[in-house]
Amino acid sequence: MRVISFKTIRAFYENPVYGDAEVSLRSWYQDAKTANWKNPNELKNQYLNASILREGRVVFNIKGNSYRLVVAIDYEFQIIFVRFIGAHKQYDKIDVKSI
């Protein structure tokens, strides 16, 4: 799959406050880049703890559930759009369906 955008992911873990997320985010990125998920069920087979939402939204737990990564996935075109990365307090303040 094509991930748009790694720049957002890198900017997050390059912030000294969130540097502990680097290894987990890089691992997720490598998995996502090589994935060929055709539907949410195939994604769930690889990421059991991922939360599948409506309209292609998926929430991944990063670094042992310390952080949340929200993406929008277009399975047909094999594209993942990074919509949000943050700690739980930040995640609790967003509307996952509209970001």
Side-chain angles (χ1 to χ4, degrees), residues 24-79:
S24 296
L25 284 169
R26 283 184 177 271
S27 177
W28 175 87
Y29 178 73
Q30 289 303 315
D31 288 349
K33 265 186 13 178
T34 60
N36 189 23
W37 301 313
K38 300 280 190 248
N39 56 56
N41 291 332
E42 288 185 4
L43 184 150
K44 271 298 251 192
N45 286 336
Q46 184 172 357
Y47 282 96
L48 299 176
N49 291 327
S51 297
I52 307 296
L53 308 176
R54 293 181 181 196
E55 299 179 21
R57 301 286 174 148
V58 181
V59 180
F60 292 94
N61 296 317
I62 301 296
K63 194 187 171 282
N65 208 18
S66 295
Y67 303 103
R68 295 281 175 96
L69 170 64
V70 179
V71 301
I73 300 178
D74 185 321
Y75 295 97
E76 180 181 355
F77 292 103
Q78 294 286 289
I79 300 174

Side-chain angles (χ1 to χ4, degrees), residues 1-30:
M1 297 197 100
R2 185 170 161 218
V3 179
I4 301 176
S5 127
F6 183 71
K7 181 179 174 183
T8 303
I9 294 169
R10 184 178 54 232
F12 182 78
Y13 68 67
E14 284 181 346
N15 180 329
V17 175
Y18 307 118
D20 62 335
E22 180 175 2
V23 172
S24 296
L25 284 169
R26 283 184 177 271
S27 177
W28 175 87
Y29 178 73
Q30 289 303 315

